[in-house]
């Protein structure tokens, strides 16, 4: 009996999904009904009949889950992300669909289904810990590019690349998907409209990068930190990349020099290769022309009665958002430099070499120090409407406040560096 209607039912479901689409509620109900149907059929069959009918039920399960999954909101990656990064996530309640998928995966397993035949069922099986082999690599890469089955793709990648989730024998660096992911994930992290997807993609990118051989790792970081205005990655991603470099190099320095070896992917970041390769794109002259940003005869309006763009020179190509992003990036770079000077006591990166210090001071720190000093002076002499000497406006615009906050952080970064030199018996600029 099932030889006739089960294949036809699967065909009807697929045709409806392709022609008219499904809303989330009806797709969820249909998936649950399909699970009930297969479960009911299996309950009526003995072992011999199951063996005979599995060639009918397995294609039905594969077809139905593949057709309906795109129409059902899924939080598979949310659950895995919470396992990998508990401090960055909130608890996500399990949905009804996840319970249905567990039932379908169980039935698929009992019928002897192959994980290579169904990406959707395999993804759920991986999350459930039923399979520990990375499969469907071309499909995963296509899912990221096309934004289809993206939730499933991110979930399985998080599991395989996360040290806390991946089975120990698995080596991501030997996988054929690592290098393509280093290209696809930054674009996803910078351009996707969903904030969670951007966060998830960037965190996954950091995991893939950690599993990447050192030379390629530095090449990717140089590319992300590039100041090329035609670069496909967003400027905010450059800020995140500075933080990523900081995490990677401090992790590398945490391993003593005697314990490092050529198999340590991060070892190259705890070597002079850091200064040779990354210093030119990290500690380069500020993109902002501070003289244009804060002309000597100008002041920052203390009450924000003048639009934020008036802080900039009219001929400057940078708008307020760009200024905020660049100031924030510079603050992160100063924090990285300070952390390296305080942490790399053995000068494994070469950051403490006198020539490197002098170059960083001349090209990066000194221009920022001069600019923030001028800004602080202008802020101090600008009276508020109440006659109080303050650079904090009583009713600021969001843009002006963010720029000021970035400037304050920049000022604190310079002061912290100067205090470090003073503690070592060196003056500002060594």
């Amino acid at each position: 009996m099932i030889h006739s209607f089960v294949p036809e039912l699967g065909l009807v479901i697929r045709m409806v999904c392709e022609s008219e689409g499904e809303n989330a509620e009806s797709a969820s109900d249909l998936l649950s009904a399909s699970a009930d149907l297969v479960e009911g059929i299996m309950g009526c069959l003995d072992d011999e009949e199951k063996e005979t009918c599995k060639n009918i039920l397995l294609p039905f399960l594969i077809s139905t889950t593949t057709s309906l999954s795109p129409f059902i909101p899924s939080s598979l990656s949310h659950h895995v992300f919470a396992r990998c990064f508990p401090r960055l996530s909130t608890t996500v309640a399990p949905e009804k669909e996840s319970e249905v998928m567990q039932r379908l995966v169980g039935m698929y397993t009992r019928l002897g289904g192959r994980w290579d035949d169904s990406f959707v069922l395999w993804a759920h099986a991986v999350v459930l810990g039923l399979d520990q082999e990375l499969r469907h690599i071309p499909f995963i890469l296509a899912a990221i590019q096309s934004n289809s089955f993206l939730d499933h793709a991110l979930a399985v990648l998080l599991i395989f690349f996360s040290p806390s989730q991946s089975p120990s024998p698995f080596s991501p660096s030997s996988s054929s998907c690592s290098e393509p992911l280093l290209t696809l994930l930054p674009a996803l992290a910078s351009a996707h409209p969903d904030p969670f997807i951007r966060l998830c993609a960037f965190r996954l990118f950091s995991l893939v990068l950690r599993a990447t051989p050192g030379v390629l790792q530095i090449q990717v970081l140089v590319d992300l930190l590039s100041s090329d205005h035609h670069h496909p990655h967003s400027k905010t991603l450059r800020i995140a990349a500075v933080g990523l470099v900081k995490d990677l190099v401090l992790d590398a320095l945490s391993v003593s020099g005697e314990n490092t070896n050529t198999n340590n992917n991060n070892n190259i970041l705890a070597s002079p290769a850091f200064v040779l390769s990354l210093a030119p794109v990290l500690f380069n002259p500020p993109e902002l022309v501070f003289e244009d940003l804060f002309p000597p005869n100008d002041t920052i309006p203390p009450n924000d009665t003048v639009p934020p763009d008036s802080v900039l020179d009219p001929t400057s190509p940078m708008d307020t958002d760009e200024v905020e992003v660049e100031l924030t990036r510079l603050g992160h770079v100063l924090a990285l430099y300070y952390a390296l000077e305080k942490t790399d006591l053995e000068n494994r990166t070469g950051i403490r070499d006198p020539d490197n210090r002098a170059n960083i001071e001349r090209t990066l720190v000194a221009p920022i120090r001069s600019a923030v000093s001028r800004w602080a002076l202008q802020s101090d002499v600008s009276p508020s409407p109440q006659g109080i000497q303050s650079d904090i406006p009583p009713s600021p615009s969001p843009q002006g406040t963010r720029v000021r906050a970035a400037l304050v952080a920049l000022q604190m970064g310079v002061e912290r560096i100067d205090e470090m030199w003073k503690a070592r018996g060196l003056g500002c600029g060594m």
Side-chain angles (χ1 to χ4, degrees), residues 9 40 241 256 307 345:
L9 179 60
S256 64
L345 302 179

Side-chain angles (χ1 to χ4, degrees), residues 75-84 91-95 98 127 196:
S75 58
L76 204 62
S77 59
H78 286 73
H79 291 290
V80 177
F81 188 86
R83 284 156 48 180
C84 298
T91 304
V92 182
E95 309 92 341
S98 64
V127 174
F196 170 76

